[in-house]
Amino acid sequence: MLSACIYEPYIMYCTKTFHVNVKRKDVTDDAMTPNRLVSFVFISGIVVAVTCTLLLQYIFNLSTDFSKQEFHHVFIPLPSDGISNKEYTLSLALGNTELDKLQVQNTETSTAEALTSLHLAIEMKSSGKQKKAIKLFQHAMALAPHHPDVLNHYGEFLEHTQNNVIKANEFYVRALTYEPNHESALMNSQRTARVVEELDRRMLRRIDEKRNALSTIPDHNAALIRAKKEAYFQHIYHTVGIEGNTMNLAQTRAIVETRTAVAGKSIDEHNEILGLDAAMKYINATLVNRVGSISIKDILEIHRRVLGHVDPVEGGQFRRTQVYVGGHIPPGPGDIHYLMEEFGMWLNSEQAIRLHPVKYAAVAHYKLVHIHPFADGNGRTSRLLMNMILMQAGYPPVIIHKQHRHKYYENLQIANTGDLRPFVRFIAECTEQTLDLFLWATSEFSRQVPALSQETLFMERHNTIILEDEDNDILEND
């Protein structure tokens, strides 16, 4: 259209000029003839049309590129901590296939190194060099923690040279998790199962005896009152400490008792302590004495107080987004209501109530934290639910020391593979340790033993808890 507008006036001008020259008879022999004039006009029109078309296309492309740069949103993920520019460039330069090959090669290299270390460890074991053997076994485990041969041989070493049947049995069972038909691990697991079961029963009986001994102390006993008060602060201090709170015990006590702010500490750290204090007071006032049923509403009310000072909007509400917890990916938000309804039915089922209180409390803790129904505060709420169940059965609330956080999370991760026994054993050991502290604090010789306020080290006991066959069904709904 633009070329036609330029072309039409040009023809009119040339034609008019030609007629004037003819009238005046000024045209020489070299002058432009009518045929030549028409050809010239036609060719010029084509050139002008092509030029205008190219110019318009260039302007259009330029405006299109600009609009793309202005409005198109590009998502750029943040690189992982500690990744160097060289590593980041390499990941961009290589395709997915090349990266997959590198990962496979690294895995194969680690496995080969782990097997080499395993063979050397077996040789050291045969030579009686146990210290070197255990270092080699641990190195093999670090390189290939899921290799059934490494797990089985390390279990045999722990059983026969360290006399640790419990840990050995755990490794046998874990080996069968990754290779169910592993003949040697299967034989070892079956052989040690009865020993482990007997140790379980002994530990549960011992815990019950200590609980019964504690229950004989009158409630008005001054030492018991002091121990309960100290345990209250200890519980808050260690529970928030597991989640990363940096307040020390004295600061925690001051915040709970005086509501005084601690200089140099964040508002969230203060609010985490106040929230846990509110949740514990709610449990002590309403739920501990209401034995017989635990509803989802009760759990929501606990969580509402745990998170009430930190995030009042999310407190007492199921999450509406996907979350990620280390290597564990909890169920999606669309499944939360259904899974929590199932969890509530299990909590009040005959199967769950018939469990030993320590097992019941530990499994309830695990199932809730596995569903991970909240955006934040899942660990604190799960530990409070566990302690509520224990207190309803006459046990003091368990104190999981924050310095044992690694062992706590490690046993939760093992439970995700299908074996809950290590986590139940861990909770049983914490329960017994808490009972010991209460009994020591209320005895006449309490000055000669570690005080309740001290951060005592977690003692490794060669005892265990095992779930009976009927208890193994508890994970079917997870």
Side-chain angles (χ1 to χ4, degrees):
M1 185 175 180
L2 180 61
S3 60
C5 294
I6 298 174
Y7 176 67
E8 186 175 356
Y10 185 78
I11 292 177
M12 295 175 63
Y13 173 78
C14 292
T15 304
K16 184 178 179 181
T17 306
F18 175 75
H19 285 297
V20 171
N21 290 338
V22 170
K23 266 186 176 183
R24 293 180 180 180
K25 301 185 183 292
D26 292 335
V27 181
T28 63
D29 293 340
D30 295 333
M32 183 178 292
T33 64
N35 293 334
R36 289 180 180 180
L37 178 61
V38 172
S39 300
F40 174 75
V41 171
F42 180 76
I43 294 172
S44 300
I46 293 175
V47 172
V48 172
V50 172
T51 304
C52 292
T53 302
L54 293 174
L55 180 61
L56 286 172
Q57 186 175 2
Y58 172 76
I59 295 172
F60 177 76
N61 291 337
L62 183 62
S63 62
T64 303
D65 292 340
F66 178 78
S67 64
K68 286 182 179 179
Q69 292 176 3
E70 185 71 22
F71 299 105
H72 184 64
H73 177 69
V74 179
F75 178 78
I76 303 176
L78 293 173
S80 302
D81 292 339
I83 206 167
S84 66
N85 291 333
K86 183 182 292 186
E87 292 170 335
Y88 184 67
T89 306
L90 178 65
S91 65
L92 293 177
L94 296 177
N96 290 333
T97 304
E98 287 78 1
L99 286 174
D100 291 341
K101 288 180 179 178
L102 281 177
Q103 291 175 355
V104 171
Q105 290 174 0
N106 290 336
T107 302
E108 292 176 350
T109 302
S110 298
T111 302
E113 185 179 348
L115 292 176
T116 301
S117 180
L118 175 63
H119 294 318
L120 290 173
I122 294 172
E123 291 180 5
M124 294 296 105
K125 173 187 172 184
S126 301
S127 303
K129 300 177 181 179
Q130 294 187 13
K131 291 184 179 180
K132 291 184 178 180
I134 196 168
K135 289 182 179 179
L136 289 167
F137 275 121
Q138 290 172 349
H139 181 62
M141 279 290 298
L143 292 171
H146 301 158
H147 198 288
D149 289 337
V150 175
L151 289 164
N152 182 65
H153 282 291
Y154 190 27
E156 291 176 345
F157 173 79
L158 293 173
E159 179 185 359
H160 299 303
T161 64
Q162 305 294 310
N163 197 28
N164 193 342
V165 182
I166 301 159
K167 202 66 180 177
N169 181 265
E170 289 180 12
F171 282 123
Y172 300 148
V173 173
R174 206 182 306 177
L176 292 173
T177 301
Y178 301 111
E179 188 177 331
N181 297 323
H182 195 285
E183 185 176 352
S184 181
L186 184 61
M187 293 176 59
N188 288 332
S189 176
Q190 293 174 345
R191 177 175 46 78
T192 56
R194 290 187 178 182
V195 178
V196 172
E197 288 177 4
E198 180 56 31
L199 290 172
D200 287 340
R201 296 187 184 94
R202 291 180 185 177
M203 186 176 192
L204 289 176
R205 285 196 296 267
R206 186 169 62 248
I207 290 175
D208 288 342
E209 290 171 359
K210 292 179 180 181
R211 178 201 58 180
N212 295 338
L214 183 63
S215 66
T216 61
I217 301 174
D219 291 336
H220 61 269
N221 182 281
L224 180 61
I225 293 173
R226 287 195 302 269
K228 286 182 178 180
K229 186 176 181 180
E230 184 63 35
Y232 187 87
F233 298 125
Q234 282 276 321
H235 185 265
I236 295 177
Y237 163 64
H238 286 290
T239 297
V240 298
I242 288 175
E243 307 296 334
N245 194 296
T246 62
M247 296 281 188
N248 60 35
L249 181 59
Q251 291 168 338
T252 302
R253 184 195 299 269
I255 292 171
V256 173
E257 289 184 327
T258 67
R259 296 298 197 265
T260 303
V262 177
K265 300 296 182 179
S266 68
I267 296 176
D268 282 348
E269 288 185 310
H270 287 78
N271 287 334
E272 286 171 358
I273 292 172
L274 294 175
L276 201 64
D277 175 48
M280 291 176 66
K281 286 178 178 175
Y282 170 73
I283 291 172
N284 293 337
T286 62
L287 300 181
V288 169
N289 296 322
R290 202 186 71 200
V291 180
S293 65
I294 303 171
S295 67
I296 300 303
K297 183 181 178 181
D298 295 332
I299 297 174
L300 290 173
E301 286 297 320
I302 293 172
H303 181 261
R304 187 167 70 86
R305 288 161 174 79
V306 167
L307 223 60
H309 291 78
V310 178
D311 192 349
V313 176
E314 292 294 336
Q317 301 292 326
F318 292 138
R319 60 181 167 87
R320 296 173 292 278
T321 57
Q322 182 62 54
V323 294
Y324 304 90
V325 188
H328 170 57
I329 301 177
D335 299 325
I336 296 299
H337 287 273
Y338 168 73
L339 292 172
M340 287 301 292
E341 286 179 4
E342 280 196 337
F343 177 59
M345 292 175 61
W346 176 86
L347 275 175
N348 300 290
S349 67
E350 183 181 353
Q351 176 195 13
I353 295 173
R354 281 193 291 107
L355 293 172
H356 187 279
V358 173
K359 294 182 186 178
Y360 179 28
V363 175
H365 174 302
Y366 169 73
K367 289 175 77 72
L368 182 59
V369 84
H370 182 79
I371 297 172
H372 225 74
F374 308 112
D376 188 21
N378 292 277
R380 281 164 282 172
T381 304
S382 298
R383 290 190 289 277
L384 286 170
L385 173 64
M386 174 185 70
N387 278 329
M388 182 183 74
I389 293 172
L390 288 172
M391 286 189 289
Q392 287 179 344
Y395 296 87
V398 167
I399 300 173
I400 301 177
H401 287 228
K402 71 175 188 177
Q403 60 264 37
H404 309 136
R405 176 183 357 186
H406 175 73
K407 191 177 182 68
Y408 170 67
Y409 286 127
E410 179 186 5
N411 287 315
L412 281 173
Q413 290 175 358
I414 294 173
N416 287 335
T417 66
D419 187 6
L420 261 75
R421 299 175 308 159
F423 182 68
V424 176
R425 293 164 189 159
F426 175 78
I427 298 301
E429 290 174 338
C430 291
T431 303
E432 185 171 14
Q433 184 189 39
T434 304
L435 283 166
D436 289 339
L437 291 172
F438 269 93
L439 292 172
W440 287 338
T442 55
S443 69
E444 58 179 318
F445 304 107
S446 59
R447 294 181 179 179
Q448 301 177 15
V449 297
L452 192 64
S453 60
Q454 289 183 330
E455 297 181 9
T456 56
L457 295 177
F458 194 90
M459 296 180 292
E460 292 287 347
R461 294 187 176 93
H462 296 293
N463 305 299
T464 185
I465 299 295
I466 194 170
L467 300 176
E468 286 82 5
D469 293 337
E470 61 184 15
D471 302 335
N472 292 330
D473 297 333
I474 58 180
L475 288 177
E476 288 183 356
N477 296 328
D478 288 345

